[in-house]
Amino acid sequence: MDWNHYRFRSLWPLPAPPATVYEALERPEDYPRWWRQVREVTRLDDTTGVIRIRSVLPYDMTFTAREVRRDPGTGLLEIAVSGDIEGWARWTVTPRGTGSLARYDQVVSVTKPLLRRFAVPGRPVFRANHALMMRSGRRGLLRHLRTV
């Protein structure tokens, strides 16, 4: 097993229509306004940006995100990431009842030396840290959607 390789999935049931959720998720430069762990997003061009995140643990992760696929018709947003993590992440927004379901999938390998050094003993803590970040992101998006 590669202790630096992670697969994550988060499901966010949301009361807003899929198009509204998709519009919020396709604007990563706005994430710091509603997702407190996304500390900074710097656009490099129309499809690429540098993102800095920090959850509960005392370290930042910085990576470049490059758009791979954007398909509003299927609710799909996918990026390739490189930097402190390498891999990909994908949002899929679909109808669910009167609202929507935002599904987040991520497959990455950690390259940040500090985290690699603590890969085995830290793995459960790193996974919990990610889960807390995603839970906070959902709450922030819920608040944000009430204002749009």
Side-chain angles (χ1 to χ4, degrees):
M1 175 176 186
D2 180 355
W3 293 97
N4 290 296
H5 185 78
Y6 290 86
R7 289 181 176 274
F8 297 108
R9 174 170 292 154
S10 295
L11 302 173
W12 293 4
L14 299 162
T20 303
V21 173
Y22 187 90
E23 283 179 25
L25 293 175
E26 75 176 340
R27 300 185 47 80
E29 62 274 12
D30 291 344
Y31 283 23
R33 293 182 186 153
W34 54 266
W35 196 343
R36 66 184 179 92
Q37 290 83 4
V38 179
R39 302 300 173 97
E40 184 178 10
V41 177
T42 305
R43 278 270 189 196
L44 300 178
D45 59 36
D46 288 344
T47 61
T48 309
V50 176
I51 300 173
R52 183 172 60 86
I53 60 173
R54 182 178 190 152
S55 190
V56 176
L57 296 177
Y59 61 83
D60 288 358
M61 297 201 52
T62 303
F63 53 90
T64 299
R66 181 182 49 81
E67 181 181 300
V68 173
R69 188 167 172 201
R70 177 189 298 244
D71 186 348
T74 61
L76 189 69
L77 293 164
E78 186 173 333
I79 59 171
V81 296
S82 59
D84 288 342
I85 53 175
E86 303 272 339
W88 60 269
R90 178 187 310 127
W91 285 108
T92 308
V93 181
T94 55
R96 181 176 188 221
T98 59
S100 59
L101 179 67
R103 174 178 159 169
Y104 180 79
D105 292 291
Q106 182 182 42
V107 177
V108 293
S109 291
V110 174
T111 60
K112 188 175 182 88
L114 173 68
L115 300 184
R116 290 182 67 81
R117 209 169 299 127
F118 294 104
V120 174
R123 188 173 179 86
V125 177
F126 299 155
R127 292 189 69 78
N129 192 56
H130 185 274
L132 289 170
M133 179 176 169
M134 296 305 292
R135 184 171 37 186
S136 177
R138 179 179 180 271
R139 288 179 182 153
L141 183 55
L142 279 167
R143 284 190 303 274
H144 174 72
L145 291 171
R146 287 186 200 115
T147 67
V148 293

